[in-house]
Amino acid sequence: MAASSNSSLSGSSVSSDPDDYQPPIWKSYLYQLQQEAPRPKRITCHQEMETRPKYYGREFHGMISRDYADKLLAAVEGAYLIRESQRQPGTHTLALRYQNLSRSIQGFGHQTLNYRLFYDGKHFVGEKRFESVHDLVTDALITLYIETKAAEYIAKMTTNPIYEHLGYTSLLKDKMVHRLSRGRAEPRRVTFQREERISSPLVRHSALKDTPEKQTSYEKIHNFKVHTFRGPHWCEYCANFMWGLIAQGVRCSDCGLNVHKQCSKLVPSDCQPDLRRIKKVFSCDLTTLVKAHNTTRPMVVDMCIREIEMRGMKSEGLYRVSGFSEHVEDVRLAFDRDGDKADISAGVYADINIIAGALKLYLRDLPIPVITFDLYSRFIQAAKLLNAESRLEAVHEGLLQLPPAHYETLRYLMAHLRRVTMFEKDNLMNAENLGIVFGPTLMQPPEQNALITLNDMRQQKLVVQLMIENEDVLF
């Protein structure tokens, strides 16, 4: 079987020079074993019976004993039938003859495997669901054969992966790190000193001490989901065949990487999303979106803020006043459909509150909030500190823990909101008002609990207020 069946690897290479490209060498051992696996042989019942469920064929033999099922299966490798359980009437059992497993585990006395069989529109005995019992048995025989014949081989097949040798992400990662090093300054670790400031009721902290910069790692975990591959497929981590009839492995829904389920636990967090797989902009993971578009921030944030700063900074109640929900939904659909080509100009949406509403909706609908779930309690606790200097320093420490895409989005947004406060005489929006609006939008508790959200509203507001008022220090 040609290795080209794994089309997603056709072009992966360690070197940027096409002349140096070496195609991966797929390992054929497990594929050969699948070809050798026993084929299913249905043992039919020639009697007509009214108790036969409509979703079973003549492989159903009614209520018979295990011993009698054993005799019917005889010594035919791969033979199977379905019987109604004598111990639990109304339940069904798949009886399958598999000699190899019987010899290695059960001895020669009993050579039939019995599985509780279920049907909910598809047939299953475990996690996999099949259109027919025949497919279920085919897959079972392949799995049994390979996992007994090659148990030791399977246990060791991840020890010498081809993944790093293929250079799947080396070039892309270098390019992204280089882009980020130009587009975003590394957050600076700071020490704070008290300084009087008449224009703010909060204590202002100014003096900075730089620490050596660390290289930005724009990591993204793969979004693996169980996948059924049509035709032979090889694992792109260990280069071994992915056996079985259905659900042979997992595929990253963002970049298309195909690997064994057990190999997926070893794949580095280096997903490089493919734009063709990103179906929408709103409700898409922030890191996934920026990596797919090769940007440092989501284009929704950039485009909406640019439009608001061009024509809406003096709009009374900016971000507090809601735009018509139907029009906000239109903007969402435009971004999902057209991406960075979406037209949100004044000629299409004259009311700037529609654009502001769309930006809030985008941030609110992120599957992982800008201030991530795992850091939520850290920011809430920081806001509860009584000492102003300690509180600000704790917020800064939390910011340093944010993923790069989240940090950059928050930095850009806070700089914008600080500019909004400069027009407070016209828009009546100060840092506290904006904190009330954006607190629940940017940070949400991991547990969707209304009581927790209500109790934390003051701290959510204070965190955003602090970031706006101290934006030039914190970022």
Side-chain angles (χ1 to χ4, degrees), residues 22-34:
Q22 294 293 327
I25 300 173
W26 304 118
K27 301 170 185 177
S28 62
Y29 176 54
L30 297 180
Y31 175 71
Q32 292 168 355
L33 287 183
Q34 176 158 313

Side-chain angles (χ1 to χ4, degrees), residues 153-161 237-238 240 262-263 266:
Y153 180 88
I154 291 171
K156 296 179 179 179
M157 69 182 184
T158 60
T159 56
N160 187 27
Y237 180 79
C238 71
N240 280 287
Q262 60 266 45
C263 291
L266 304 173

